[in-house]
Short mmCIF file of all heavy atoms in Angstrom, two decimals:
data_model
loop_
_atom_site.label_atom_id
_atom_site.label_comp_id
_atom_site.label_asym_id
_atom_site.label_seq_id
_atom_site.Cartn_x
_atom_site.Cartn_y
_atom_site.Cartn_z
N SER A 1 -11.95 -43.66 -9.44
CA SER A 1 -11.12 -44.47 -10.29
C SER A 1 -11.91 -44.88 -11.53
O SER A 1 -13.13 -44.80 -11.55
CB SER A 1 -10.58 -45.66 -9.52
OG SER A 1 -11.41 -46.76 -9.57
N LEU A 2 -11.20 -45.33 -12.53
CA LEU A 2 -11.80 -45.70 -13.81
C LEU A 2 -11.15 -46.97 -14.31
O LEU A 2 -9.93 -47.09 -14.25
CB LEU A 2 -11.58 -44.56 -14.81
CG LEU A 2 -12.08 -44.76 -16.23
CD1 LEU A 2 -13.61 -44.72 -16.25
CD2 LEU A 2 -11.53 -43.68 -17.14
N LYS A 3 -11.92 -47.90 -14.80
CA LYS A 3 -11.38 -49.14 -15.35
C LYS A 3 -11.61 -49.14 -16.85
O LYS A 3 -12.73 -48.98 -17.31
CB LYS A 3 -12.07 -50.34 -14.71
CG LYS A 3 -11.56 -51.66 -15.25
CD LYS A 3 -11.39 -52.64 -14.12
CE LYS A 3 -10.99 -54.00 -14.63
NZ LYS A 3 -9.58 -54.16 -14.72
N LEU A 4 -10.53 -49.32 -17.61
CA LEU A 4 -10.62 -49.39 -19.06
C LEU A 4 -10.69 -50.85 -19.49
O LEU A 4 -10.27 -51.74 -18.75
CB LEU A 4 -9.42 -48.72 -19.71
CG LEU A 4 -9.27 -47.23 -19.46
CD1 LEU A 4 -7.98 -46.71 -20.09
CD2 LEU A 4 -10.46 -46.46 -19.98
N ASP A 5 -11.17 -51.08 -20.69
CA ASP A 5 -11.28 -52.44 -21.22
C ASP A 5 -10.05 -52.82 -22.03
O ASP A 5 -10.13 -53.62 -22.96
CB ASP A 5 -12.55 -52.58 -22.05
CG ASP A 5 -12.60 -51.60 -23.22
OD1 ASP A 5 -11.74 -50.69 -23.28
OD2 ASP A 5 -13.49 -51.73 -24.06
N ASP A 6 -8.89 -52.26 -21.69
CA ASP A 6 -7.66 -52.48 -22.44
C ASP A 6 -6.48 -52.30 -21.49
O ASP A 6 -6.61 -51.66 -20.45
CB ASP A 6 -7.58 -51.47 -23.58
CG ASP A 6 -6.69 -51.91 -24.72
OD1 ASP A 6 -5.87 -52.83 -24.52
OD2 ASP A 6 -6.79 -51.34 -25.81
N THR A 7 -5.32 -52.83 -21.84
CA THR A 7 -4.13 -52.59 -21.03
C THR A 7 -3.65 -51.16 -21.22
O THR A 7 -3.81 -50.58 -22.30
CB THR A 7 -2.98 -53.55 -21.41
OG1 THR A 7 -2.65 -53.36 -22.78
CG2 THR A 7 -3.37 -54.99 -21.14
N ILE A 8 -3.08 -50.59 -20.20
CA ILE A 8 -2.56 -49.22 -20.26
C ILE A 8 -1.05 -49.30 -20.38
O ILE A 8 -0.37 -49.84 -19.50
CB ILE A 8 -2.96 -48.43 -19.00
CG1 ILE A 8 -4.49 -48.32 -18.93
CG2 ILE A 8 -2.31 -47.06 -19.01
CD1 ILE A 8 -5.00 -47.75 -17.64
N ASP A 9 -0.52 -48.78 -21.50
CA ASP A 9 0.92 -48.82 -21.74
C ASP A 9 1.60 -47.48 -21.54
O ASP A 9 2.80 -47.42 -21.31
CB ASP A 9 1.20 -49.33 -23.15
CG ASP A 9 0.84 -50.80 -23.31
OD1 ASP A 9 0.70 -51.49 -22.29
OD2 ASP A 9 0.69 -51.26 -24.45
N SER A 10 0.84 -46.38 -21.68
CA SER A 10 1.41 -45.06 -21.48
C SER A 10 0.30 -44.07 -21.15
O SER A 10 -0.85 -44.29 -21.51
CB SER A 10 2.19 -44.59 -22.72
OG SER A 10 1.34 -44.58 -23.85
N MET A 11 0.68 -43.00 -20.43
CA MET A 11 -0.28 -41.95 -20.10
C MET A 11 0.42 -40.61 -20.17
O MET A 11 1.62 -40.50 -19.93
CB MET A 11 -0.86 -42.14 -18.70
CG MET A 11 -1.75 -43.33 -18.56
SD MET A 11 -2.69 -43.37 -17.01
CE MET A 11 -1.47 -43.06 -15.78
N GLN A 12 -0.37 -39.59 -20.48
CA GLN A 12 0.13 -38.22 -20.52
C GLN A 12 -1.02 -37.30 -20.16
O GLN A 12 -2.14 -37.51 -20.61
CB GLN A 12 0.68 -37.89 -21.91
CG GLN A 12 1.13 -36.47 -22.10
CD GLN A 12 2.40 -36.15 -21.34
OE1 GLN A 12 3.27 -37.00 -21.18
NE2 GLN A 12 2.52 -34.95 -20.85
N SER A 13 -0.76 -36.28 -19.36
CA SER A 13 -1.80 -35.34 -18.98
C SER A 13 -1.48 -33.96 -19.54
O SER A 13 -0.32 -33.57 -19.62
CB SER A 13 -1.90 -35.26 -17.46
OG SER A 13 -2.84 -34.27 -17.09
N ASP A 14 -2.54 -33.23 -19.93
CA ASP A 14 -2.36 -31.85 -20.37
C ASP A 14 -3.05 -30.90 -19.40
O ASP A 14 -3.51 -29.85 -19.76
CB ASP A 14 -2.87 -31.65 -21.80
CG ASP A 14 -4.37 -31.84 -21.92
OD1 ASP A 14 -5.01 -32.26 -20.95
OD2 ASP A 14 -4.90 -31.55 -23.01
N GLY A 15 -3.13 -31.27 -18.16
CA GLY A 15 -3.85 -30.49 -17.15
C GLY A 15 -4.85 -31.40 -16.48
O GLY A 15 -4.47 -32.27 -15.72
N TRP A 16 -6.12 -31.23 -16.79
CA TRP A 16 -7.16 -32.09 -16.22
C TRP A 16 -7.45 -33.29 -17.08
O TRP A 16 -7.99 -34.28 -16.62
CB TRP A 16 -8.45 -31.30 -16.00
CG TRP A 16 -8.33 -30.37 -14.85
CD1 TRP A 16 -8.24 -29.00 -14.90
CD2 TRP A 16 -8.25 -30.71 -13.46
NE1 TRP A 16 -8.11 -28.48 -13.65
CE2 TRP A 16 -8.12 -29.51 -12.74
CE3 TRP A 16 -8.28 -31.91 -12.77
CZ2 TRP A 16 -8.02 -29.49 -11.35
CZ3 TRP A 16 -8.19 -31.87 -11.38
CH2 TRP A 16 -8.06 -30.68 -10.70
N ASP A 17 -7.16 -33.21 -18.36
CA ASP A 17 -7.44 -34.33 -19.26
C ASP A 17 -6.25 -35.28 -19.31
O ASP A 17 -5.11 -34.88 -19.13
CB ASP A 17 -7.76 -33.84 -20.67
CG ASP A 17 -9.06 -33.06 -20.72
OD1 ASP A 17 -9.91 -33.24 -19.83
OD2 ASP A 17 -9.23 -32.28 -21.67
N ILE A 18 -6.56 -36.56 -19.55
CA ILE A 18 -5.52 -37.58 -19.59
C ILE A 18 -5.61 -38.32 -20.92
O ILE A 18 -6.70 -38.68 -21.35
CB ILE A 18 -5.70 -38.60 -18.44
CG1 ILE A 18 -5.68 -37.88 -17.09
CG2 ILE A 18 -4.63 -39.67 -18.49
CD1 ILE A 18 -6.18 -38.73 -15.94
N LEU A 19 -4.48 -38.51 -21.57
CA LEU A 19 -4.40 -39.35 -22.76
C LEU A 19 -3.85 -40.70 -22.31
O LEU A 19 -2.86 -40.75 -21.58
CB LEU A 19 -3.48 -38.73 -23.80
CG LEU A 19 -3.95 -37.39 -24.34
CD1 LEU A 19 -2.83 -36.76 -25.17
CD2 LEU A 19 -5.20 -37.54 -25.15
N VAL A 20 -4.49 -41.77 -22.74
CA VAL A 20 -4.08 -43.11 -22.35
C VAL A 20 -3.73 -43.90 -23.59
O VAL A 20 -4.56 -44.06 -24.49
CB VAL A 20 -5.21 -43.82 -21.57
CG1 VAL A 20 -4.77 -45.21 -21.15
CG2 VAL A 20 -5.63 -43.00 -20.35
N GLY A 21 -2.50 -44.39 -23.67
CA GLY A 21 -2.06 -45.25 -24.77
C GLY A 21 -2.27 -46.70 -24.38
O GLY A 21 -1.80 -47.14 -23.33
N CYS A 22 -3.01 -47.42 -25.20
CA CYS A 22 -3.41 -48.79 -24.85
C CYS A 22 -2.66 -49.85 -25.65
O CYS A 22 -2.13 -49.58 -26.73
CB CYS A 22 -4.90 -48.95 -25.08
SG CYS A 22 -5.89 -47.84 -24.06
N GLY A 23 -2.67 -51.04 -25.11
CA GLY A 23 -2.00 -52.17 -25.75
C GLY A 23 -2.58 -52.53 -27.11
O GLY A 23 -1.89 -53.09 -27.95
N SER A 24 -3.84 -52.18 -27.33
CA SER A 24 -4.48 -52.48 -28.61
C SER A 24 -4.10 -51.49 -29.70
O SER A 24 -4.52 -51.63 -30.85
CB SER A 24 -6.00 -52.48 -28.45
OG SER A 24 -6.45 -51.17 -28.13
N GLY A 25 -3.33 -50.44 -29.35
CA GLY A 25 -2.93 -49.44 -30.32
C GLY A 25 -3.82 -48.22 -30.33
O GLY A 25 -3.63 -47.30 -31.13
N VAL A 26 -4.78 -48.16 -29.45
CA VAL A 26 -5.72 -47.05 -29.37
C VAL A 26 -5.23 -46.02 -28.37
O VAL A 26 -4.67 -46.37 -27.34
CB VAL A 26 -7.12 -47.58 -28.95
CG1 VAL A 26 -8.07 -46.45 -28.65
CG2 VAL A 26 -7.69 -48.48 -30.03
N VAL A 27 -5.46 -44.73 -28.68
CA VAL A 27 -5.23 -43.65 -27.73
C VAL A 27 -6.61 -43.17 -27.28
O VAL A 27 -7.44 -42.79 -28.10
CB VAL A 27 -4.44 -42.49 -28.36
CG1 VAL A 27 -4.31 -41.34 -27.38
CG2 VAL A 27 -3.07 -42.96 -28.80
N LYS A 28 -6.86 -43.23 -25.98
CA LYS A 28 -8.14 -42.79 -25.43
C LYS A 28 -7.96 -41.46 -24.71
O LYS A 28 -6.93 -41.19 -24.11
CB LYS A 28 -8.68 -43.82 -24.45
CG LYS A 28 -9.02 -45.14 -25.13
CD LYS A 28 -9.70 -46.09 -24.17
CE LYS A 28 -10.08 -47.38 -24.85
NZ LYS A 28 -11.17 -47.25 -25.79
N HIS A 29 -9.01 -40.62 -24.79
CA HIS A 29 -9.02 -39.32 -24.14
C HIS A 29 -9.95 -39.42 -22.94
O HIS A 29 -11.13 -39.75 -23.08
CB HIS A 29 -9.51 -38.26 -25.12
CG HIS A 29 -9.54 -36.89 -24.55
ND1 HIS A 29 -10.70 -36.26 -24.23
CD2 HIS A 29 -8.54 -36.05 -24.23
CE1 HIS A 29 -10.43 -35.06 -23.75
NE2 HIS A 29 -9.13 -34.91 -23.73
N VAL A 30 -9.43 -39.16 -21.74
CA VAL A 30 -10.22 -39.23 -20.51
C VAL A 30 -10.34 -37.83 -19.93
O VAL A 30 -9.33 -37.16 -19.70
CB VAL A 30 -9.55 -40.17 -19.47
CG1 VAL A 30 -10.36 -40.21 -18.19
CG2 VAL A 30 -9.36 -41.56 -20.05
N SER A 31 -11.57 -37.36 -19.73
CA SER A 31 -11.81 -36.06 -19.10
C SER A 31 -12.05 -36.27 -17.62
O SER A 31 -12.77 -37.18 -17.22
CB SER A 31 -13.05 -35.40 -19.72
OG SER A 31 -12.83 -35.12 -21.07
N VAL A 32 -11.46 -35.39 -16.81
CA VAL A 32 -11.59 -35.48 -15.36
C VAL A 32 -12.30 -34.22 -14.88
O VAL A 32 -11.94 -33.11 -15.27
CB VAL A 32 -10.21 -35.60 -14.69
CG1 VAL A 32 -10.35 -35.72 -13.18
CG2 VAL A 32 -9.43 -36.77 -15.27
N SER A 33 -13.31 -34.38 -14.02
CA SER A 33 -14.05 -33.23 -13.51
C SER A 33 -13.19 -32.41 -12.55
O SER A 33 -12.19 -32.90 -12.02
CB SER A 33 -15.32 -33.69 -12.80
OG SER A 33 -14.99 -34.37 -11.60
N ASP A 34 -13.57 -31.17 -12.32
CA ASP A 34 -12.83 -30.28 -11.41
C ASP A 34 -12.71 -30.86 -10.01
O ASP A 34 -11.71 -30.66 -9.33
CB ASP A 34 -13.50 -28.91 -11.34
CG ASP A 34 -13.32 -28.12 -12.63
OD1 ASP A 34 -12.42 -28.47 -13.41
OD2 ASP A 34 -14.07 -27.16 -12.85
N SER A 35 -13.71 -31.60 -9.58
CA SER A 35 -13.69 -32.14 -8.22
C SER A 35 -12.97 -33.49 -8.15
O SER A 35 -12.87 -34.08 -7.09
CB SER A 35 -15.12 -32.32 -7.72
OG SER A 35 -15.80 -33.29 -8.50
N LEU A 36 -12.48 -33.97 -9.28
CA LEU A 36 -11.81 -35.26 -9.39
C LEU A 36 -12.73 -36.44 -9.08
O LEU A 36 -12.28 -37.56 -8.95
CB LEU A 36 -10.58 -35.34 -8.50
CG LEU A 36 -9.47 -34.33 -8.77
CD1 LEU A 36 -8.35 -34.49 -7.74
CD2 LEU A 36 -8.93 -34.47 -10.17
N SER A 37 -14.03 -36.18 -8.97
CA SER A 37 -14.96 -37.24 -8.61
C SER A 37 -15.51 -37.99 -9.81
O SER A 37 -16.13 -39.03 -9.66
CB SER A 37 -16.12 -36.66 -7.80
OG SER A 37 -16.84 -35.74 -8.61
N GLU A 38 -15.28 -37.47 -10.99
CA GLU A 38 -15.85 -38.12 -12.17
C GLU A 38 -14.85 -38.12 -13.32
O GLU A 38 -14.20 -37.12 -13.59
CB GLU A 38 -17.12 -37.37 -12.60
CG GLU A 38 -17.86 -38.03 -13.71
CD GLU A 38 -19.16 -37.30 -14.05
OE1 GLU A 38 -19.57 -36.40 -13.31
OE2 GLU A 38 -19.72 -37.64 -15.08
N MET A 39 -14.71 -39.27 -13.95
CA MET A 39 -13.87 -39.40 -15.13
C MET A 39 -14.71 -40.00 -16.25
O MET A 39 -15.45 -40.95 -16.03
CB MET A 39 -12.67 -40.30 -14.86
CG MET A 39 -11.66 -39.68 -13.94
SD MET A 39 -10.15 -40.65 -13.81
CE MET A 39 -10.57 -41.74 -12.48
N LYS A 40 -14.58 -39.43 -17.44
CA LYS A 40 -15.33 -39.93 -18.59
C LYS A 40 -14.37 -40.21 -19.74
O LYS A 40 -13.50 -39.41 -20.03
CB LYS A 40 -16.36 -38.89 -19.06
CG LYS A 40 -17.46 -38.61 -18.08
CD LYS A 40 -18.42 -37.59 -18.66
CE LYS A 40 -19.49 -37.25 -17.66
NZ LYS A 40 -20.34 -36.16 -18.14
N VAL A 41 -14.57 -41.35 -20.38
CA VAL A 41 -13.78 -41.71 -21.56
C VAL A 41 -14.52 -41.22 -22.79
O VAL A 41 -15.70 -41.50 -22.96
CB VAL A 41 -13.54 -43.23 -21.64
CG1 VAL A 41 -12.76 -43.58 -22.90
CG2 VAL A 41 -12.82 -43.73 -20.41
N SER A 42 -13.83 -40.48 -23.65
CA SER A 42 -14.43 -40.03 -24.90
C SER A 42 -14.84 -41.23 -25.74
O SER A 42 -14.11 -42.22 -25.80
CB SER A 42 -13.43 -39.18 -25.68
OG SER A 42 -13.90 -38.91 -26.98
N PRO A 43 -16.00 -41.15 -26.40
CA PRO A 43 -16.42 -42.29 -27.23
C PRO A 43 -15.59 -42.44 -28.51
O PRO A 43 -15.64 -43.47 -29.17
CB PRO A 43 -17.87 -41.95 -27.58
CG PRO A 43 -17.95 -40.47 -27.45
CD PRO A 43 -16.97 -40.08 -26.39
N ASN A 44 -14.81 -41.44 -28.84
CA ASN A 44 -14.00 -41.47 -30.06
C ASN A 44 -12.54 -41.72 -29.73
O ASN A 44 -11.91 -40.91 -29.06
CB ASN A 44 -14.12 -40.14 -30.81
CG ASN A 44 -15.55 -39.82 -31.17
OD1 ASN A 44 -16.31 -40.69 -31.58
ND2 ASN A 44 -15.94 -38.58 -31.00
N ASP A 45 -12.01 -42.85 -30.20
CA ASP A 45 -10.59 -43.11 -30.05
C ASP A 45 -9.83 -42.20 -31.00
O ASP A 45 -10.28 -41.91 -32.10
CB ASP A 45 -10.28 -44.57 -30.37
CG ASP A 45 -10.95 -45.52 -29.38
OD1 ASP A 45 -11.12 -45.13 -28.22
OD2 ASP A 45 -11.28 -46.64 -29.79
N LEU A 46 -8.67 -41.73 -30.56
CA LEU A 46 -7.94 -40.73 -31.33
C LEU A 46 -7.14 -41.34 -32.48
O LEU A 46 -7.21 -40.88 -33.59
CB LEU A 46 -7.01 -39.93 -30.41
CG LEU A 46 -7.71 -39.16 -29.30
CD1 LEU A 46 -6.68 -38.49 -28.40
CD2 LEU A 46 -8.64 -38.12 -29.88
N ILE A 47 -6.36 -42.33 -32.19
CA ILE A 47 -5.46 -42.91 -33.19
C ILE A 47 -5.41 -44.41 -32.99
O ILE A 47 -5.48 -44.89 -31.88
CB ILE A 47 -4.03 -42.33 -33.03
CG1 ILE A 47 -3.98 -40.88 -33.46
CG2 ILE A 47 -3.01 -43.13 -33.80
CD1 ILE A 47 -4.16 -40.62 -34.93
N LYS A 48 -5.25 -45.12 -34.06
CA LYS A 48 -5.11 -46.57 -33.96
C LYS A 48 -3.76 -46.97 -34.52
O LYS A 48 -3.51 -46.87 -35.71
CB LYS A 48 -6.24 -47.26 -34.73
CG LYS A 48 -6.15 -48.76 -34.76
CD LYS A 48 -6.73 -49.36 -33.49
CE LYS A 48 -6.92 -50.85 -33.67
NZ LYS A 48 -6.12 -51.66 -32.85
N HIS A 49 -2.85 -47.38 -33.65
CA HIS A 49 -1.58 -47.95 -34.08
C HIS A 49 -1.82 -49.44 -34.32
O HIS A 49 -2.76 -50.02 -33.79
CB HIS A 49 -0.51 -47.80 -32.99
CG HIS A 49 0.04 -46.41 -32.87
ND1 HIS A 49 1.09 -45.97 -33.63
CD2 HIS A 49 -0.31 -45.37 -32.09
CE1 HIS A 49 1.36 -44.72 -33.31
NE2 HIS A 49 0.52 -44.33 -32.37
N SER A 50 -0.96 -50.06 -35.09
CA SER A 50 -1.11 -51.51 -35.31
C SER A 50 -0.46 -52.33 -34.21
O SER A 50 -0.54 -53.54 -34.20
CB SER A 50 -0.55 -51.90 -36.69
OG SER A 50 0.83 -51.63 -36.75
N GLY A 51 0.16 -51.65 -33.26
CA GLY A 51 0.73 -52.29 -32.08
C GLY A 51 0.50 -51.40 -30.88
O GLY A 51 -0.20 -50.40 -30.96
N SER A 52 1.09 -51.74 -29.77
CA SER A 52 0.93 -50.99 -28.54
C SER A 52 1.38 -49.53 -28.68
O SER A 52 2.30 -49.23 -29.45
CB SER A 52 1.76 -51.67 -27.46
OG SER A 52 1.70 -50.97 -26.26
N VAL A 53 0.72 -48.62 -27.95
CA VAL A 53 1.14 -47.22 -27.90
C VAL A 53 2.20 -47.11 -26.81
O VAL A 53 1.91 -47.30 -25.63
CB VAL A 53 -0.05 -46.28 -27.60
CG1 VAL A 53 0.43 -44.84 -27.52
CG2 VAL A 53 -1.12 -46.43 -28.66
N CYS A 54 3.43 -46.81 -27.21
CA CYS A 54 4.56 -46.81 -26.27
C CYS A 54 4.80 -45.46 -25.62
O CYS A 54 5.33 -45.39 -24.52
CB CYS A 54 5.83 -47.24 -27.00
SG CYS A 54 5.70 -48.86 -27.76
N SER A 55 4.43 -44.37 -26.31
CA SER A 55 4.76 -43.05 -25.81
C SER A 55 3.72 -42.04 -26.25
O SER A 55 3.18 -42.12 -27.35
CB SER A 55 6.14 -42.65 -26.35
OG SER A 55 6.50 -41.40 -25.88
N LEU A 56 3.43 -41.08 -25.37
CA LEU A 56 2.50 -39.99 -25.67
C LEU A 56 3.11 -38.67 -25.20
O LEU A 56 3.81 -38.63 -24.19
CB LEU A 56 1.19 -40.18 -24.92
CG LEU A 56 0.29 -41.30 -25.39
CD1 LEU A 56 -0.81 -41.55 -24.37
CD2 LEU A 56 -0.32 -40.96 -26.73
N ALA A 57 2.82 -37.60 -25.93
CA ALA A 57 3.27 -36.27 -25.52
C ALA A 57 2.26 -35.24 -25.99
O ALA A 57 1.58 -35.43 -27.00
CB ALA A 57 4.64 -35.95 -26.13
N VAL A 58 2.16 -34.15 -25.23
CA VAL A 58 1.32 -33.01 -25.58
C VAL A 58 2.25 -31.81 -25.71
O VAL A 58 3.12 -31.61 -24.85
CB VAL A 58 0.25 -32.75 -24.50
CG1 VAL A 58 -0.60 -31.55 -24.85
CG2 VAL A 58 -0.63 -33.98 -24.30
N SER A 59 2.07 -31.02 -26.77
CA SER A 59 2.91 -29.84 -26.96
C SER A 59 2.70 -28.86 -25.81
O SER A 59 1.68 -28.88 -25.13
CB SER A 59 2.61 -29.17 -28.30
OG SER A 59 1.28 -28.69 -28.32
N ILE A 60 3.67 -27.99 -25.60
CA ILE A 60 3.61 -27.02 -24.50
C ILE A 60 2.36 -26.16 -24.59
O ILE A 60 1.73 -25.87 -23.57
CB ILE A 60 4.88 -26.14 -24.49
CG1 ILE A 60 6.09 -27.00 -24.13
CG2 ILE A 60 4.74 -24.99 -23.52
CD1 ILE A 60 7.41 -26.31 -24.26
N ASP A 61 1.95 -25.78 -25.79
CA ASP A 61 0.74 -24.96 -25.93
C ASP A 61 -0.54 -25.79 -25.92
O ASP A 61 -1.64 -25.25 -25.97
CB ASP A 61 0.81 -24.12 -27.21
CG ASP A 61 0.87 -24.94 -28.48
OD1 ASP A 61 0.73 -26.18 -28.43
OD2 ASP A 61 1.05 -24.33 -29.55
N GLY A 62 -0.42 -27.11 -25.83
CA GLY A 62 -1.58 -27.98 -25.73
C GLY A 62 -2.32 -28.22 -27.03
O GLY A 62 -3.36 -28.87 -27.05
N LYS A 63 -1.78 -27.73 -28.15
CA LYS A 63 -2.49 -27.82 -29.42
C LYS A 63 -2.22 -29.08 -30.22
O LYS A 63 -2.95 -29.41 -31.14
CB LYS A 63 -2.17 -26.59 -30.28
CG LYS A 63 -2.70 -25.31 -29.68
CD LYS A 63 -2.39 -24.13 -30.56
CE LYS A 63 -2.94 -22.85 -29.95
NZ LYS A 63 -2.65 -21.69 -30.80
N ARG A 64 -1.16 -29.79 -29.89
CA ARG A 64 -0.79 -30.99 -30.64
C ARG A 64 -0.58 -32.17 -29.69
O ARG A 64 -0.09 -32.02 -28.58
CB ARG A 64 0.49 -30.78 -31.43
CG ARG A 64 0.42 -29.64 -32.41
CD ARG A 64 0.10 -30.16 -33.78
NE ARG A 64 0.16 -29.09 -34.76
CZ ARG A 64 -0.89 -28.66 -35.43
NH1 ARG A 64 -2.06 -29.20 -35.25
NH2 ARG A 64 -0.77 -27.70 -36.31
N ILE A 65 -0.94 -33.35 -30.17
CA ILE A 65 -0.71 -34.60 -29.46
C ILE A 65 0.16 -35.47 -30.35
O ILE A 65 -0.08 -35.54 -31.56
CB ILE A 65 -2.03 -35.32 -29.15
CG1 ILE A 65 -2.91 -34.45 -28.24
CG2 ILE A 65 -1.78 -36.68 -28.53
CD1 ILE A 65 -4.32 -34.96 -28.11
N VAL A 66 1.15 -36.12 -29.77
CA VAL A 66 2.03 -37.00 -30.52
C VAL A 66 2.00 -38.38 -29.85
O VAL A 66 2.06 -38.48 -28.63
CB VAL A 66 3.49 -36.48 -30.53
CG1 VAL A 66 4.39 -37.40 -31.31
CG2 VAL A 66 3.54 -35.07 -31.09
N SER A 67 1.88 -39.43 -30.66
CA SER A 67 1.95 -40.79 -30.12
C SER A 67 2.98 -41.58 -30.90
O SER A 67 3.14 -41.41 -32.11
CB SER A 67 0.58 -41.48 -30.19
OG SER A 67 0.17 -41.64 -31.53
N GLY A 68 3.68 -42.43 -30.19
CA GLY A 68 4.65 -43.34 -30.80
C GLY A 68 4.24 -44.76 -30.50
O GLY A 68 3.86 -45.08 -29.38
N GLY A 69 4.29 -45.60 -31.52
CA GLY A 69 3.79 -46.96 -31.33
C GLY A 69 4.82 -48.04 -31.55
O GLY A 69 5.89 -47.82 -32.13
N GLU A 70 4.47 -49.21 -31.07
CA GLU A 70 5.27 -50.41 -31.27
C GLU A 70 5.41 -50.73 -32.75
O GLU A 70 6.32 -51.44 -33.17
CB GLU A 70 4.59 -51.56 -30.53
CG GLU A 70 5.37 -52.83 -30.44
CD GLU A 70 4.61 -53.84 -29.61
OE1 GLU A 70 3.41 -54.06 -29.86
OE2 GLU A 70 5.23 -54.43 -28.73
N ASP A 71 4.50 -50.17 -33.56
CA ASP A 71 4.53 -50.39 -35.00
C ASP A 71 5.53 -49.47 -35.71
O ASP A 71 5.54 -49.36 -36.92
CB ASP A 71 3.14 -50.20 -35.60
CG ASP A 71 2.55 -48.82 -35.33
OD1 ASP A 71 3.23 -47.97 -34.70
OD2 ASP A 71 1.39 -48.59 -35.72
N SER A 72 6.38 -48.78 -34.93
CA SER A 72 7.42 -47.87 -35.43
C SER A 72 6.87 -46.61 -36.10
O SER A 72 7.56 -45.97 -36.86
CB SER A 72 8.36 -48.59 -36.40
OG SER A 72 8.98 -49.68 -35.76
N SER A 73 5.60 -46.27 -35.83
CA SER A 73 5.04 -45.07 -36.43
C SER A 73 4.86 -43.99 -35.37
O SER A 73 4.71 -44.27 -34.17
CB SER A 73 3.68 -45.37 -37.09
OG SER A 73 2.72 -45.69 -36.11
N ILE A 74 4.90 -42.75 -35.84
CA ILE A 74 4.65 -41.57 -35.00
C ILE A 74 3.47 -40.85 -35.61
O ILE A 74 3.43 -40.62 -36.83
CB ILE A 74 5.88 -40.63 -34.98
CG1 ILE A 74 7.07 -41.35 -34.35
CG2 ILE A 74 5.55 -39.35 -34.24
CD1 ILE A 74 8.37 -40.59 -34.46
N ASN A 75 2.49 -40.53 -34.79
CA ASN A 75 1.31 -39.81 -35.25
C ASN A 75 1.22 -38.47 -34.54
O ASN A 75 1.45 -38.39 -33.34
CB ASN A 75 0.03 -40.63 -34.98
CG ASN A 75 -0.02 -41.90 -35.78
OD1 ASN A 75 -0.07 -41.85 -36.99
ND2 ASN A 75 0.02 -43.03 -35.11
N VAL A 76 0.85 -37.44 -35.28
CA VAL A 76 0.65 -36.10 -34.74
C VAL A 76 -0.72 -35.62 -35.16
O VAL A 76 -1.09 -35.76 -36.33
CB VAL A 76 1.73 -35.10 -35.27
CG1 VAL A 76 1.52 -33.73 -34.67
CG2 VAL A 76 3.14 -35.62 -35.01
N TRP A 77 -1.48 -35.07 -34.22
CA TRP A 77 -2.79 -34.53 -34.58
C TRP A 77 -3.14 -33.38 -33.68
O TRP A 77 -2.50 -33.14 -32.66
CB TRP A 77 -3.87 -35.62 -34.57
CG TRP A 77 -4.22 -36.18 -33.23
CD1 TRP A 77 -5.24 -35.79 -32.43
CD2 TRP A 77 -3.56 -37.22 -32.52
NE1 TRP A 77 -5.26 -36.53 -31.28
CE2 TRP A 77 -4.24 -37.42 -31.31
CE3 TRP A 77 -2.45 -38.02 -32.81
CZ2 TRP A 77 -3.85 -38.36 -30.38
CZ3 TRP A 77 -2.07 -38.95 -31.87
CH2 TRP A 77 -2.76 -39.13 -30.69
N LYS A 78 -4.18 -32.62 -34.05
CA LYS A 78 -4.62 -31.47 -33.27
C LYS A 78 -5.38 -31.95 -32.04
O LYS A 78 -6.18 -32.88 -32.11
CB LYS A 78 -5.55 -30.58 -34.10
CG LYS A 78 -4.85 -29.81 -35.17
CD LYS A 78 -5.81 -28.89 -35.88
CE LYS A 78 -5.10 -28.13 -36.97
NZ LYS A 78 -6.01 -27.24 -37.69
N ASN A 79 -5.10 -31.31 -30.92
CA ASN A 79 -5.81 -31.58 -29.68
C ASN A 79 -7.08 -30.75 -29.67
O ASN A 79 -7.03 -29.54 -29.71
CB ASN A 79 -4.93 -31.22 -28.48
CG ASN A 79 -5.49 -31.71 -27.17
OD1 ASN A 79 -6.47 -32.44 -27.13
ND2 ASN A 79 -4.85 -31.29 -26.09
N VAL A 80 -8.22 -31.41 -29.64
CA VAL A 80 -9.51 -30.68 -29.65
C VAL A 80 -10.22 -30.81 -28.33
O VAL A 80 -10.01 -31.69 -27.57
CB VAL A 80 -10.43 -31.17 -30.77
CG1 VAL A 80 -9.89 -30.73 -32.10
CG2 VAL A 80 -10.61 -32.67 -30.73
#
């Protein structure tokens, strides 16, 4: 298990990796090991909304991430 320092408002998985939308407006990228025994949070937050992240989606091909926020904005970026 993994404890974040923020509230979790939304989550989306693209396989083994998990995107977590937080109450602070940050989207965090969590990598999960093949054995499920280790989870690591990327040191780089992906997007900063000015309000909570309400929704997350990953495109079918896994190349794009979309987030929707309480601030009425939608962000799209490349999944790296």
Side-chain angles (χ1 to χ4, degrees):
S1 89
L2 177 71
K3 180 138 175 90
L4 297 176
D5 59 350
D6 203 343
T7 59
I8 298 172
D9 292 342
S10 58
M11 291 192 311
Q12 176 70 34
S13 176
D14 65 352
W16 287 108
D17 293 338
I18 303 166
L19 298 170
V20 180
C22 299
S24 65
V26 171
V27 176
K28 295 187 178 289
H29 181 253
V30 179
S31 296
V32 182
S33 68
D34 289 342
S35 65
L36 299 177
S37 63
E38 186 176 350
M39 290 188 272
K40 294 181 183 174
V41 178
S42 170
N44 302 318
D45 296 329
L46 299 176
I47 289 291
K48 177 83 167 114
H49 284 274
S50 63
S52 177
V53 179
C54 302
S55 181
L56 289 168
V58 179
S59 64
I60 293 172
D61 62 7
K63 294 181 179 180
R64 301 263 186 245
I65 298 169
V66 180
S67 64
E70 189 177 49
D71 58 2
S72 300
S73 68
I74 297 172
N75 294 296
V76 181
W77 69 95
K78 288 184 180 179
N79 190 8
V80 290

